Amino acid sequence: MNITVLYVGSSLLAPLKSAEREINHAHRLNLRVATYNFGSPLNDREWLDVEQDLGEANVVFVIHVMDGENASRLVTALERFKDRHDAVVVINCMPELMRRTRMGRLDVNALAGKKERSKVGTLLRSAGSWIGSQARRGKSNRGHGQYLKLVDRLPGILKFVPTAGALTDAKHYLYLFCYFLQPTPANIQSMLLYSLVHYVHDKRLKKIRVAPPEQTPSVAIYHPAARSLFESFAAYRKWYQKRLEPKSTIGLLLMRPQVVSKTTRHYDALIRAIESEGLSVVPAIATLMDNREAVSKFFVEKGKKNVSQIVSLTGFSFVGGPAMNDSAAASEFLRELNLPYRSAVSLDTQTIEAWNESQTGLNPVQAGMQIAIPEIDGATEPFVYGGIPARGQEPVALDDRCTRLARRLRRWNTLQTASRDQIKLAIVLFCFPPNKGNIGTAADLDVFPGVFDVLKRLREEGYRVEVPHSAGELRERLLGGDSEQFGAAANVAYQMSVQEYRRLCPYVREVERDWGPAPGSINAFGGELLIQGLRLGNVFIGVQPTFGFEGDPMRLMMARSGSPHHGFMAFYTYLAKVLNADGVIHFGTHGALEFMPGKQIGLSGECWPDRLIDEMPNFYVYSVNNPSEGSIAKRRSYAELISYLTPPIENAGLYRELAGLKDLVMAYRQSTSETERARLYDSIEALRQEAHF
Amino acid sequence: MHEPKTDRDARVFALYEQLLEIEQRLIPTGLHVFGRPSSAGEKTDLLKMIASFDRPEAGVRALPEAVAEGAVREFVANGAGAAVRFLEKEGLTPESTRPLFTLLENVSAKLQTNNELDSLVRALRGEFVEPGPGADIIQNPDILPTGRNTHAINPYGVPSAVAFARSEHVANSLLDRYRQENGRYPEAMALVLWGLDNIKTQGEGVAQALWLLGTRPVRDALNRTTSVEAIPLAELGRPRIDVVMTISGIFRDLFSPTVQLLDKAVRLVAQLDEPLETNYVRKHVLQQVEQDACDPDDAAVRVFSNAPGNYGTNVNFMVMDSQWEREETLGDLFVTRKCFAYGRDSKGHAIEGREARVAMDRALSRVEATYQNIDTFEIGLTDVDHYFEYLGGVSKAVEKRAQARPAIYLSDSLSREIKIRSLEETVRLETRAKTLNPKWYEGMLKHGFRGVAEIENHVSNTFGWSATADAVDDWIYAEVANTFLFDDAMLDRLRDLNPHSVHSLAQRLLEANGRGYWEVDESVVDRLREITRNLEDQLEGVHG
């Protein structure tokens, strides 16, 4: 007996495989469950396998398939094997697939058109295809909460629907849907069995009784160390051993199916990583479509916050789920709440190995859904923290990523809680093209007066900062100072010995492969690496080293860039390990860090921008008219952008000979006297030459 | 005003048009200081420009050109009510004009305050930083207030219906211009696609590429653009143009689903059973399969970018650092950095940045015109080094491979009327409106040290157009020298503010002369050398 399941997501595989085992063990059906992740377009070879299995399947489940290309190929394949299949069950897919549902006399096509009066008909219409209808509306579903309540009550309602008659198959569909919505291992097993019992003719199936759906709460708090879910924050607080000090508690948003199906190893690891940084957690199960309910219920209590940061692990938009995003509602809600919002990604449609090997990182589907859209809600820290291994069935954690993310959350926590006079900041300026005259380069920005204003404001806010008398003095001290002594473009704030560099930076050997033995020739003097900048109390104004292409055409000619040079690496090592900066402010559009080689999106610990920015929260003062390069900074250096205005815009106007020329032209056009026009024309011609027209 | 009757009239009228174009060109005047409100004293020009666009999403209708100036002046002087009344006299109903002035009131108010510094301070306390769109203020006044966490867009929404509709006209104008100059359609064009304009315009550059190929985007049930279909030839009324897309690393990253879409469009067109003279993509793919005995999949590669996880052409670094001897090196460098193919082959296998140098060489060898869409007044051809590294770089690469310099075009898509200009025309226009314009450089010089660096950067970026495309007239360099170096009072000012940058500027002019881009009397060169020497003495005196 064969069932083929075509699905998207990472919570189904493990329960499906365990269901296959359990069913065979209990009922000796010789059941084979073939599974395919349809999260991104399949290639021809993969399709051959899919078609082979479809050709042998008694029952086909199609779940959450929303990719147009996979869907249209699947429609064709389902048509081809129509006679082979005893039932095709399509759940939460795009409409063209929904219409392929075939269970006995159930005709979804017809139902969609008809005005079915019965409650079951209404339910059926709304149940299977809510994602599609929501996407068409393009707005978040107000009725979504009610819908969920209905889903909770559905098994109860279905009890009263007669099993015989016109609605039989619709009822079966809704039963399968109930199992699917609460994908506990037992429910997934029941879902498969139920479909076999009702649609496959086989003697062995006659006596099997299928358990009714198990219920789990729609929102709750989960913790790996707890035996059961908590339905209120009070109950969770009572159980939680550590103090739940709101100022150092992270609110996590988890995917409900993942918890219900008990595929939570990646969540568990991240939770432990965060706790081992001395932070507490409130891991809340959120519904797929709208995280506001879980946040309002568990992260806020009588107007007081229980958490200080929110980390979404759902991989979807905050309001709207996988099919659409109501970003306006999301950002308004988060603004009111005023809690920083992070979104971390577990690999859904590629394996850990594929991501590891990929030079691009996240594939297009995940880059679009899980990075680009959460960003519009206001999410930061786009980390990949887990995924399914090639030979695995459920997500596991990427331990080093969990640690990095957890430590970054702790650094953010420091910024939130520490006394301002204890906080150390680095403000990083750029210099391009490399020339002393270009220190403080930034598109459309006069950097020094802005930095000067920032310093003054920081002092008012209680930061320990020495403020120069003027923006000019700040610039002179940075450009002058001891720079000549080292042949440097700017003041040298720190000399890092090679020994110290090796001790503090774990990547020196890799840098040496590209740039030769440390310290090399860039930002180096007398065998030491030079950190250019100015220390003003707890604030350091640094000058970011350049790419290091100067006078090195061979390096420019390489198709693939190498690592940052020793000077670059040492600069950020200084910020992270010597200065121990609690935060870095990159000042103006734009620098080089975020363009260093590595994956494009969804970085690993091998990627240079990740290594350079390390655990430091990164703020980036960035031009509002450059969302594209700004997004690279967000994704590859975990920057939170603070947009700045562009300069005032005016008509260019005319000047000098151009103004004179226009006067003559106007006179010519208005003149009615031919002699005057001839005279004017001569003047125009003369001036035209002068103005190079 | 009367119509031109004679050749003489026509010449004067054409000049008049050119002068108007310069006069009305929008330019940034000065620099922004982080945290400070806009220094715009006179906002009329900005508001007038904002008022020249329909914004259906906000119920705002553009002001007719004839009454725009007066109405906006009235608004600035006496407020929204007065402006609405003013327009009522011109026959426009208050219902149709009020939403616009509500918008302008909103923009004016937001420009008078600035949240950037507050926002930074809040961010440093770990508070939520609200997300906001990124664009030119004219395109999207919703960028105000600033101090927000700028975001990109949903790549599946690209190209938007509006962007696709607008782009038909641009693609046609582009082809018309080429036909006027060459009497036929170009068989192949190279397009530069960036993230910058495609975010801000919701994918106009993408849409232009689709139009040239004769395809249109198809949305799936979730309203995501995931496929394309061919526009029938009868409807298209012209051949399908072969389009080589050189995309920035940033576009590649931000629009990865769109990269797939563009590749899909080329492969779709390549396999249409159409006469070869109406489908240049198919023509070239078949040619190449025959010539090189290669797989049709390899012959249909048209989307090129950097190696995965790498960015930029490095052409800008090479030019800025003067590290080249022959121009063709710049074109070759462009290909070295950009010859990585993206998309999916006909068997459904992802092409994730596969090095495809031969395929790119072949594709470029057929190119007859190169083009880039410009959607902004704020970031122009000489404001940054990226335009010449891309459009200049690809044009130089074509020149060697096709053994002919391509026609190089740009469009202004953020205007009432979309205009196609040649590169040379655009460089002249930018130079006249900005670099040589006292309104522009005095605005910069108000910012002292940084202002001088900006002037120098503009001259260097202009030089980039000599190096990559030989698109800069002699007079431009001469006027730069006259304006900034041979005017003693000006030279003194610049030297006091930022001697390093003046020195670079003088050296860049010497380089332009040395490399043959600026032919000028030896006396002028001597004068430049002397200025350079004096600056060096000064710099050594300061720091020696």
Side-chain angles (χ1 to χ4, degrees):
Chain A
M1 225 167 280
N2 292 306
I3 295 180
T4 297
V5 186
L6 314 163
Y7 66 95
V8 175
S10 53
S11 59
L12 268 175
L13 184 58
L16 284 170
K17 286 294 171 191
S18 94
E20 180 186 41
R21 256 188 334 268
E22 297 287 321
I23 291 171
N24 283 330
H25 183 73
H27 307 292
R28 313 234 164 254
L29 294 178
N30 197 18
L31 172 69
R32 202 171 67 81
V33 181
T35 55
Y36 293 94
N37 188 335
F38 263 36
S40 54
L42 268 48
N43 65 36
D44 288 356
R45 199 176 37 73
E46 291 162 331
W47 269 106
L48 281 179
D49 294 342
V50 172
E51 282 171 7
Q52 169 128 24
D53 278 316
L54 283 177
E56 292 166 8
N58 302 86
V59 177
V60 179
F61 282 90
V62 187
I63 296 169
H64 281 164
V65 173
M66 282 176 281
D67 174 81
E69 189 178 309
N70 279 344
S72 59
R73 283 184 90 153
L74 183 55
V75 166
T76 317
L78 288 173
E79 185 63 33
R80 217 171 102 204
F81 299 113
K82 205 171 171 181
D83 299 334
R84 176 75 185 80
H85 300 147
D86 297 315
V88 176
V89 186
V90 186
I91 298 174
N92 282 349
C93 292
M94 44 210 301
E96 58 188 287
L97 271 171
M98 294 307 300
R99 287 194 285 271
R100 309 308 300 186
T101 297
R102 283 195 311 106
M103 298 167 62
R105 283 177 293 161
L106 174 63
D107 186 341
V108 173
N109 250 334
L111 255 179
K114 239 187 284 169
K115 282 240 172 351
E116 183 76 45
R117 288 272 169 96
S118 74
K119 195 156 198 173
V120 176
T122 316
L123 275 175
L124 188 64
R125 262 200 309 279
S126 61
S129 63
W130 40 268
I131 287 185
S133 53
Q134 183 162 334
R136 279 194 299 281
R137 274 199 303 279
K139 274 276 163 220
S140 60
N141 193 345
R142 283 236 178 110
H144 176 64
Q146 279 157 3
Y147 169 75
L148 275 174
K149 279 180 200 118
L150 193 60
V151 164
D152 283 344
R153 297 204 319 263
L154 199 52
I157 299 170
L158 288 175
K159 270 187 198 149
F160 300 104
V161 178
T163 311
L167 292 175
T168 310
D169 296 306
K171 179 178 170 173
H172 290 330
Y173 180 89
L174 288 173
Y175 251 105
L176 293 172
F177 188 61
C178 288
Y179 288 122
F180 160 78
L181 274 179
Q182 315 273 1
T184 61
N187 277 351
I188 292 300
Q189 192 180 325
S190 299
M191 179 179 87
L192 298 185
L193 264 183
Y194 192 100
S195 71
L196 294 173
V197 165
H198 290 282
Y199 290 97
V200 178
H201 301 287
D202 189 304
K203 272 182 294 189
R204 289 172 292 176
L205 294 165
K206 290 261 159 64
K207 285 181 188 159
I208 295 175
R209 295 190 66 81
V210 187
E214 287 184 341
Q215 291 295 102
T216 41
S218 59
V219 295
I221 298 176
Y222 163 85
H223 195 284
R227 286 185 183 188
S228 54
L229 300 175
F230 302 91
E231 295 203 44
S232 74
F233 181 73
Y236 177 71
R237 178 161 48 202
K238 213 166 142 192
W239 170 85
Y240 200 74
Q241 297 300 312
K242 279 189 280 181
R243 253 160 43 87
L244 275 171
E245 169 60 47
K247 281 202 158 100
S248 54
T249 299
I250 310 294
L252 295 162
L253 293 167
L254 315 181
M255 283 274 272
R256 186 167 174 281
Q258 215 77 55
V259 175
V260 172
S261 66
K262 303 197 193 311
T263 50
T264 53
R265 288 166 64 187
H266 56 326
Y267 291 166
D268 300 352
L270 181 60
I271 288 168
R272 277 186 223 106
I274 294 171
E275 287 181 332
S276 67
E277 291 300 318
L279 300 168
S280 304
V281 290
V282 182
I285 299 176
T287 65
L288 194 62
M289 308 302 281
D290 193 338
N291 290 295
R292 288 177 294 191
E293 188 184 355
V295 170
S296 306
K297 190 163 176 190
F298 303 123
F299 297 169
V300 190
E301 208 177 26
K302 296 183 194 114
K304 284 172 75 182
K305 293 165 198 167
N306 294 329
V307 302
S308 57
Q309 300 182 56
I310 299 176
V311 183
S312 167
L313 306 180
T314 68
F316 291 121
S317 58
F318 189 75
V319 181
M324 51 76 60
N325 55 307
D326 190 346
S327 302
S331 64
E332 191 185 320
F333 182 85
L334 291 165
R335 192 191 60 209
E336 293 277 309
L337 197 62
N338 195 18
L339 286 172
Y341 176 59
R342 333 281 182 206
S343 176
V345 174
S346 178
L347 302 164
D348 256 356
T349 66
Q350 66 194 126
T351 63
I352 289 181
E353 288 80 357
W355 166 78
N356 241 331
E357 284 158 23
S358 166
Q359 294 171 302
T360 55
L362 290 177
N363 66 17
V365 176
Q366 292 181 120
M369 298 283 280
Q370 307 193 320
I371 301 287
I373 291 176
E375 270 175 2
I376 305 175
D377 296 339
T380 58
E381 306 280 327
F383 268 79
V384 175
Y385 72 96
I388 304 183
R391 288 161 185 274
Q393 295 174 0
E394 61 180 298
V396 298
L398 298 160
D399 290 327
D400 77 306
R401 299 284 82 194
C402 288
T403 305
R404 164 79 33 117
L405 178 56
R407 290 196 177 153
R408 291 184 63 85
L409 294 173
R410 180 171 53 76
R411 295 282 194 128
W412 278 104
N413 191 250
T414 303
L415 283 176
Q416 291 178 315
T417 55
S419 164
R420 296 299 95 176
D421 63 358
Q422 296 301 306
I423 289 173
K424 287 191 205 132
L425 297 175
I427 298 178
V428 177
L429 314 186
F430 309 119
C431 178
F432 183 81
N435 167 351
K436 207 176 184 108
N438 281 322
I439 290 181
T441 315
D444 288 329
L445 200 62
D446 192 358
V447 166
F448 284 103
V451 171
F452 179 67
D453 287 0
V454 169
L455 294 178
K456 282 192 295 187
R457 178 66 184 269
L458 290 176
R459 187 174 57 188
E460 284 167 25
E461 297 285 324
Y463 292 83
R464 274 186 46 220
V465 52
E466 177 210 326
V467 182
H469 292 105
S470 65
E473 189 201 311
L474 173 66
R475 191 187 66 237
E476 277 163 27
R477 284 176 62 185
L478 184 64
L479 267 64
D482 57 11
S483 63
E484 283 301 312
Q485 185 186 324
F486 296 99
N491 180 64
V492 173
Y494 190 80
Q495 294 157 259
M496 188 182 284
S497 70
V498 171
Q499 197 187 8
E500 185 182 23
Y501 173 53
R502 286 188 193 284
R503 182 166 52 81
L504 296 177
C505 174
Y507 316 113
V508 177
R509 279 176 185 282
E510 285 175 68
V511 176
E512 285 181 328
R513 260 182 252 154
D514 281 326
W515 295 88
S521 57
I522 309 166
N523 303 118
F525 184 86
E528 293 184 313
L529 285 151
L530 305 180
I531 311 303
Q532 300 183 63
L534 198 58
R535 185 77 192 260
L536 300 168
N538 277 350
V539 178
F540 171 73
I541 316 266
V543 181
Q544 188 185 67
T546 62
F547 278 107
F549 291 138
E550 300 85 73
D552 198 352
M554 292 316 288
R555 201 173 289 280
L556 277 176
M557 295 293 285
M558 295 192 301
R560 288 184 170 83
S561 308
S563 73
H565 58 75
H566 291 299
F568 206 99
M569 196 71 235
F571 180 81
Y572 282 92
T573 304
Y574 168 81
L575 299 187
K577 305 283 169 60
V578 180
L579 180 69
N580 216 348
D582 296 297
V584 180
I585 305 167
H586 286 95
F587 211 94
T589 301
H590 63 77
L593 179 149
E594 61 271 26
F595 294 105
M596 288 294 172
K599 295 187 195 303
Q600 288 156 201
I601 189 164
L603 305 193
S604 75
E606 310 275 297
C607 301
W608 289 106
D610 182 270
R611 291 170 163 185
L612 289 162
I613 199 65
D614 201 63
E615 293 162 10
M616 298 178 286
N618 186 10
F619 306 89
Y620 213 139
V621 168
Y622 219 94
S623 175
V624 74
N625 74 1
N626 196 335
S628 52
E629 289 174 306
S631 296
I632 301 297
K634 292 171 82 147
R635 295 173 187 184
R636 302 189 82 238
S637 68
Y638 318 131
E640 183 163 72
L641 305 186
I642 310 292
S643 64
Y644 63 81
L645 195 62
T646 47
I649 283 209
E650 287 177 37
N651 291 129
L654 294 173
Y655 51 93
R656 292 197 295 262
E657 60 271 33
L658 299 183
L661 202 48
K662 191 187 173 193
D663 289 344
L664 287 172
V665 168
M666 292 302 284
Y668 178 94
R669 292 189 58 165
Q670 277 153 14
S671 168
T672 45
S673 147
E674 183 51 34
T675 42
E676 194 190 3
R677 281 156 72 90
R679 188 175 54 75
L680 282 167
Y681 184 76
D682 291 341
S683 312
I684 289 171
E685 278 304 295
L687 202 51
R688 179 208 288 275
Q689 302 277 329
E690 212 175 301
H692 315 287
F693 280 97
Chain B
M1 306 252 178
H2 32 233
E3 291 305 304
K5 289 178 194 126
T6 62
D7 283 357
R8 201 182 67 186
D9 283 0
R11 266 173 78 83
V12 174
F13 280 43
L15 180 62
Y16 177 71
E17 293 292 327
Q18 268 183 297
L19 288 167
L20 273 190
E21 190 175 58
I22 298 164
E23 187 175 26
Q24 290 175 1
R25 184 125 175 123
L26 288 180
I27 57 165
T29 50
L31 297 165
H32 177 61
V33 176
F34 182 74
R36 297 189 192 166
S38 169
S39 57
E42 173 65 74
K43 285 199 288 279
T44 316
D45 296 342
L46 172 66
L47 297 177
K48 203 172 71 194
M49 198 62 200
I50 290 176
S52 71
F53 288 92
D54 281 329
R55 301 176 199 274
E57 70 288 351
V60 168
R61 298 257 300 275
L63 282 181
E65 207 168 352
V67 296
E69 176 88 29
V72 172
R73 288 202 179 284
E74 189 64 27
F75 167 77
V76 170
N78 302 311
V84 170
R85 284 192 297 278
F86 171 89
L87 286 168
E88 219 173 341
K89 282 182 217 144
E90 303 287 332
L92 294 170
T93 64
E95 294 73 42
S96 67
T97 59
R98 196 160 284 128
L100 169 69
F101 290 101
T102 306
L103 171 72
L104 296 187
E105 261 178 336
N106 198 343
V107 169
S108 298
K110 282 181 180 163
L111 282 173
Q112 266 152 40
T113 55
N114 185 297
N115 301 333
E116 294 161 6
L117 205 40
D118 289 339
S119 184
L120 176 65
V121 167
R122 290 184 54 237
L124 288 170
R125 284 199 295 259
E127 295 182 37
F128 180 67
V129 178
E130 204 189 333
D136 284 24
I137 189 170
I138 287 166
Q139 251 160 355
N140 185 1
D142 287 341
I143 61 147
L144 297 173
T146 46
R148 290 186 291 172
N149 189 3
T150 310
H151 59 71
I153 57 171
N154 175 1
Y156 285 112
V158 164
S160 71
V162 174
F164 189 70
R166 277 172 63 89
S167 298
E168 178 178 16
H169 176 64
V170 181
N172 288 340
S173 307
L174 186 58
L175 293 175
D176 285 347
R177 168 100 195 220
Y178 186 89
R179 278 212 301 170
Q180 276 165 24
E181 289 169 4
N182 299 277
R184 59 178 178 80
Y185 288 105
E187 287 204 10
M189 296 187 63
L191 264 58
V192 173
L193 293 177
W194 283 0
L196 185 75
D197 54 312
N198 281 293
I199 289 184
K200 296 196 267 183
T201 62
Q202 310 279 319
E204 280 184 21
V206 172
Q208 290 159 9
L210 294 178
W211 273 111
L212 291 169
L213 289 163
T215 55
R216 63 166 70 92
V218 178
R219 299 218 166 202
D220 68 13
L222 299 179
N223 203 25
R224 300 179 307 180
T225 310
T226 47
S227 195
V228 285
E229 64 185 21
I231 299 168
L233 281 172
E235 192 183 319
L236 194 62
R238 59 159 170 85
R240 302 183 195 280
I241 312 300
D242 190 356
V243 182
V244 185
M245 287 157 271
T246 57
I247 63 174
S248 68
I250 295 152
F251 181 96
R252 174 199 62 196
D253 292 8
L254 299 185
F255 289 105
S256 48
T258 318
V259 170
Q260 304 294 326
L261 190 80
L262 290 167
D263 175 71
K264 213 179 217 178
V266 174
R267 290 176 194 279
L268 170 78
V269 169
Q271 49 163 302
L272 294 172
D273 187 11
E274 292 171 339
L276 299 187
E277 68 278 8
T278 62
N279 183 334
Y280 297 136
V281 181
R282 183 174 174 77
K283 177 179 172 185
H284 296 152
V285 168
L286 292 178
Q287 254 173 19
Q288 194 174 324
V289 167
E290 195 177 308
Q291 257 173 33
D292 296 359
C294 67
D295 189 319
D297 263 346
D298 295 335
V301 167
R302 291 291 183 277
V303 185
F304 297 96
S305 188
N306 291 87
N310 281 259
Y311 302 84
T313 70
N314 288 359
V315 169
N316 50 339
F317 295 117
M318 190 171 261
V319 170
M320 288 299 172
D321 206 28
S322 310
Q323 292 181 34
W324 53 283
E325 282 169 22
R326 291 146 55 94
E327 285 176 356
E328 65 172 56
T329 311
L330 300 172
D332 291 344
L333 175 58
F334 182 88
V335 175
T336 301
R337 294 283 297 177
K338 283 283 164 191
C339 66
F340 294 82
Y342 288 84
R344 271 173 89 220
D345 68 19
S346 63
K347 295 163 200 77
H349 292 289
I351 308 172
E352 270 192 342
R354 183 200 300 155
E355 190 158 6
R357 196 172 177 121
V358 173
M360 190 176 193
D361 282 341
R362 289 279 191 279
L364 291 179
S365 73
R366 292 181 289 255
V367 166
E368 297 177 302
T370 59
Y371 164 74
Q372 181 166 10
N373 180 43
I374 297 195
D375 72 304
T376 172
F377 297 109
E378 296 184 355
I379 309 174
L381 221 51
T382 57
D383 291 325
V384 293
D385 54 354
H386 298 311
Y387 287 108
F388 81 74
E389 68 157 321
Y390 274 87
L391 186 62
V394 71
S395 301
K396 187 53 78 182
V398 167
E399 188 177 325
K400 176 172 160 184
R401 285 153 186 81
Q403 296 180 345
R405 183 182 184 275
I408 310 174
Y409 299 117
L410 295 128
S411 63
D412 244 338
S413 72
L414 186 64
S415 331
R416 254 183 216 272
E417 292 162 53
I418 295 162
K419 267 194 184 149
I420 305 292
R421 293 191 188 89
S422 72
L423 174 62
E424 291 80 356
E425 289 163 352
T426 315
V427 170
R428 280 178 212 127
L429 180 57
E430 280 280 297
T431 305
R432 284 181 169 126
K434 286 182 186 161
T435 319
L436 297 175
N437 184 352
K439 194 171 186 174
W440 181 83
Y441 62 73
E442 288 297 343
M444 287 299 165
L445 289 176
K446 272 190 240 151
H447 296 272
F449 181 84
R450 184 66 216 151
V452 185
E454 285 288 337
I455 293 168
E456 188 275 322
N457 290 169
H458 275 72
V459 174
S460 284
N461 293 332
T462 306
F463 172 84
W465 290 113
S466 283
T468 56
D470 199 9
V472 185
D473 303 334
D474 284 329
W475 68 262
I476 290 180
Y477 291 113
E479 289 298 335
V480 166
N482 287 336
T483 308
F484 299 111
L485 300 179
F486 298 160
D487 173 335
D488 289 340
M490 177 59 88
L491 179 61
D492 284 346
R493 269 175 84 194
L494 300 182
R495 205 160 35 195
D496 287 347
L497 294 170
N498 185 342
H500 313 281
S501 291
V502 197
H503 179 247
S504 304
L505 193 157
Q507 278 193 315
R508 194 64 78 190
L509 290 178
L510 282 171
E511 185 181 0
N513 172 258
R515 290 191 189 266
Y517 299 131
W518 177 27
E519 284 184 30
V520 69
D521 283 356
E522 201 51 31
S523 63
V524 174
V525 180
D526 286 343
R527 197 167 165 198
L528 275 174
R529 288 207 185 95
E530 196 194 326
I531 289 170
T532 312
R533 265 196 307 277
N534 289 341
L535 281 160
E536 274 158 14
D537 289 348
Q538 182 194 343
L539 287 172
E540 277 170 26
V542 168
H543 298 288

